[in-house]
Amino acid sequence: MMSYIEPAPIKDKDNPLESMMQRFDKAVDLLGISEEMYYILKVPRKQVTVGLPVTMDSGEIRTFEGYRVIHSTILGPSKGGIRFDPDVNLDEVRALAAWMTWKCAVVDIPYGGAKGGVACNPREMSPGEIERLMRAYTTALLDVFGPDQDIPAPDMGTGPREMAWLMDEYSKSKGMTIPAVVTGKPLVLGGSLGRTEATGRGVMVSALAGMEKLRINPYRATAAVQGFGNVGSHAALLLRERGTAIHAISDISGAYYNDKGIDVADAIAYRDANKGSLEGYSKAEAISGDELFTLPVDVLVPAAKEDVITRKNVESIQARMIVEGANGPTSAKADDIINDKGIMVVPDILANAGGVTVSYFEWVQNRIGYKWTLERINRRTDRIMKEAFDKVYETSLKYKVSLRIAAYIVAIDKVASTYKYRGGF
Ligand code: NAD
C-alpha cells in the first residue's frame, strides 16, 4: 500500500480524518490506481493562508489566521464550508477539503472539494466583530472564490448570516449582485427552500433504501437517533412520517427512550421551547447516551458528532443497519467488527450528502435566476440520493466490500477517470 506524502498530524489514533484516509487508501488499492494518480488525487490543488487584521469593539486590532484549501477541481468548481472555530488549522482544513471531493463525487454533482476556516472563537465575539472578520476573510480570498471557481457554504460556527456578508462583500468588489458565489444564504438573498432539512432528508432516503435491501418493512421498523439538532431531528421526523417508530433520541443533555415510539414532532416542539435542549423531556424514559447505541432497534442513526462508534462499543450494537448522519461517527478500527457482525453501514459521504445536494440546487437556481418549489427540490434530492445509494450498493456487490469502501471506490473512480479524459487540470 502506498503512503501519503504529507499526512495530517494525528494525535488520537481514532481520529476521524485519519479514518477517512485509511478507507481512501483501501479503495485506491482495490481500484488498482497507479502511484502517480494516487498523488494527483491526494495532494490539494491550492492552499491559501491569510492574515486578517480586524478592529475589535475595544478599538484594538487583532490579526486572525484564515485558510482556504482547494482539494480538487477535476469535476468542477470546488465546494465546501467555512468553519469559525478556535481549533481550525491548515491540516484539518486540508483533510476536510478532501472529504468534500469524495462526497460530491459519490452523489454525482459537478463539484470538486474545498474547505475554509478561521481560527477564532465566534462565541466570544460580537456580531460586529464577526461581520468585520467575515468581510476581511472574503476580501482576502476574492481571487479564490467565484461562482465558477470556488463556492463556499456554512460550516461549524458560521450560518446564513455570515454567508450573506460574504455574498455582499464579494458582490461589492465585482460591482454587481452575484448570489451564486456562496450557498447556505438566507432565503431572501437566494437561499434554497429545503436546505435546512436536506441532510436529514438524505439520511431518511438512505435508511429506506438500506431497509429495502435488508427486507425490513419501514412500517414495522424501529430506530434510534443520536443527536437532535439539524440532521438528527429532521431524519427522525422524516423516518417517522414514513412509518418507522423512533424508539430513542438523544442530545447533549442525555438520551430518551420510549418503546411505544417517540412523538418526534412533539419532541421537536419541546426542544424549541426549551432553549434547544431535550433536557427534562418527560414523555420518554431517560437513559444514558451510551445505552442508546445498544438498543435492539433496526436502524441506528448517529447524527451528533464524530468518533462515537469505536472498538469500545461496537460489540454491543444490536441494530441491523447504521446510517451515518454525522461526519466520521465510526472509527476505521470499528469497521471490521461491524462487517463481521453483518451490520449494514450507509457511510457518511453518502448518507449525509443531501445537504451538499441542495446547496448545489441553490447554486443552480441562482445561476438561472429562478426559484424552484419545495416539492421539486425534494423530488430531485430523493432521486439523487437513491441513485447514489444504488450505485454504491452495486459497487459493493461487484468488489465484495462494505458500502463504505464501495462509496470511496465510486468517488475515486469518478474523479480518476475524469482526470484521465481531461488531463492536466
Ligand atoms: P447541530 O449542532 O444542529 O446538532 C448537533 C446535535 O448533537 C445537538 O442536538 C447536540 O446536543 C447533539 N450532541 C452533541 N454532542 C452529543 C453527545 N455527546 N451525545 C448526544 N448528542 C450530542 O449539528 P448538525 O448540523 O445536526 O450536525 C450534526 C452532524 O452532522 C455533524 O457531524 C455535522 O458535521 C454533520 N453534517 C451536518 C450537515 C448539515 O447540513 N447540517 C451536513 C453534513 C454533515
Side-chain angles (χ1 to χ4, degrees):
M1 178 176 295
M2 290 166 276
S3 59
Y4 323 145
I5 298 175
E6 272 187 299
I10 305 300
K11 292 166 231 110
D12 173 2
K13 290 237 179 333
D14 279 342
N15 184 301
L17 299 172
E18 187 187 56
S19 287
M20 188 257 291
M21 292 316 292
Q22 284 176 20
R23 285 120 175 197
F24 170 77
D25 276 2
K26 212 178 249 183
V28 161
D29 273 357
L30 284 163
L31 273 169
I33 279 196
S34 69
E35 188 157 351
E36 60 188 11
M37 181 60 78
Y38 176 84
Y39 289 119
I40 290 167
L41 299 179
K42 168 79 179 76
V43 180
R45 279 297 173 278
K46 189 182 288 186
Q47 307 179 52
V48 185
T49 301
V50 289
L52 307 167
V54 172
T55 305
M56 308 303 279
D57 292 347
S58 63
E60 169 212 6
I61 297 177
R62 269 186 64 191
T63 303
F64 296 87
E65 211 161 289
Y67 312 94
R68 186 76 183 166
V69 175
I70 313 295
H71 172 258
S72 172
T73 49
I74 293 171
L75 297 183
S78 49
K79 185 95 192 80
I82 299 168
R83 181 170 281 202
F84 277 10
D85 187 76
D87 295 330
V88 163
N89 61 68
L90 183 58
D91 289 305
E92 181 190 62
V93 174
R94 191 160 49 194
L96 291 167
W99 212 324
M100 284 304 296
T101 300
W102 313 133
K103 197 179 286 193
C104 293
V106 164
V107 282
D108 200 16
I109 57 181
Y111 284 148
K115 205 77 181 189
V118 179
C120 65
N121 190 347
R123 287 170 296 279
E124 289 174 0
M125 294 167 71
S126 71
E129 290 170 341
I130 296 173
E131 176 173 355
R132 291 191 287 282
L133 177 59
M134 192 69 221
R135 289 185 186 275
Y137 180 76
T138 308
T139 303
L141 291 165
L142 280 178
D143 55 345
V144 173
F145 295 151
D148 291 308
Q149 276 174 261
D150 178 39
I151 307 134
D155 193 73
M156 203 190 282
T158 63
R161 180 183 70 165
E162 286 74 17
M163 300 308 111
W165 290 327
L166 190 157
M167 187 273 240
D168 182 64
E169 196 64 26
Y170 183 85
S171 296
K172 266 198 305 205
S173 80
K174 305 289 176 196
M176 62 185 126
T177 298
I178 306 179
V181 69
V182 62
T183 63
K185 298 179 294 294
L187 265 182
V188 287
L189 285 190
S192 180
L193 291 169
R195 174 61 187 90
T196 312
E197 59 275 33
T199 306
R201 187 170 187 91
V203 169
M204 174 273 289
V205 175
S206 307
L208 291 188
M211 284 190 231
E212 195 183 324
K213 299 293 180 200
L214 296 178
R215 298 186 200 289
I216 299 172
N217 179 346
Y219 285 91
R220 297 220 183 106
T222 58
V225 181
Q226 184 209 28
F228 207 61
N230 177 292
V231 179
S233 64
H234 285 113
L237 188 66
L238 292 165
L239 275 171
R240 181 67 212 113
E241 281 172 14
R242 273 132 192 101
T244 299
I246 309 298
H247 276 193
I249 54 176
S250 75
D251 69 3
I252 192 77
S253 74
Y256 305 86
Y257 170 73
N258 185 336
D259 63 5
K260 307 225 165 19
I262 285 170
D263 180 342
V264 180
D266 178 73
I268 291 175
Y270 179 87
R271 175 201 66 187
D272 292 347
N274 193 36
K275 299 196 184 99
S277 171
L278 288 169
E279 175 98 63
Y281 188 60
S282 60
K283 295 183 186 162
E285 180 192 335
I287 59 170
S288 76
D290 292 343
E291 259 178 287
L292 178 137
F293 284 93
T294 67
L295 294 172
V297 289
D298 296 298
V299 185
L300 179 61
V301 180
K305 56 199 277 270
E306 69 287 351
D307 226 2
V308 293
I309 299 174
T310 65
R311 271 187 308 181
K312 290 189 195 113
N313 65 356
V314 63
E315 290 290 4
S316 54
I317 290 177
Q318 299 191 59
R320 294 176 62 194
M321 61 185 286
I322 296 171
V323 186
E324 296 184 337
N327 285 322
T330 309
S331 79
K333 290 187 183 139
D335 277 357
D336 288 343
I337 306 173
I338 288 178
N339 295 340
D340 289 347
K341 282 169 70 90
I343 300 171
M344 173 191 273
V345 180
V346 189
D348 46 13
I349 58 169
L350 169 61
N352 70 31
V356 76
T357 301
V358 177
S359 285
Y360 164 60
F361 291 162
E362 177 175 337
W363 178 78
V364 171
Q365 291 171 83
N366 292 160
R367 290 173 72 99
I368 60 176
Y370 190 71
K371 269 183 179 292
W372 294 344
T373 61
L374 182 60
E375 189 267 331
R376 171 172 289 204
I377 287 162
N378 286 343
R379 190 162 26 87
R380 291 184 171 181
T381 308
D382 293 358
R383 179 173 52 76
I384 285 183
M385 291 302 300
K386 179 67 169 57
E387 282 175 5
F389 180 95
D390 289 344
K391 178 138 200 210
V392 168
Y393 190 81
E394 281 158 25
T395 306
S396 80
L397 296 181
K398 179 173 165 199
Y399 285 85
K400 299 189 174 47
V401 291
S402 64
L403 292 182
R404 187 190 306 286
I405 298 302
Y408 279 92
I409 289 177
V410 167
I412 293 166
D413 190 37
K414 178 161 179 74
V415 180
S417 42
T418 307
Y419 186 85
K420 275 191 205 141
Y421 279 113
R422 294 185 60 162
F425 203 46

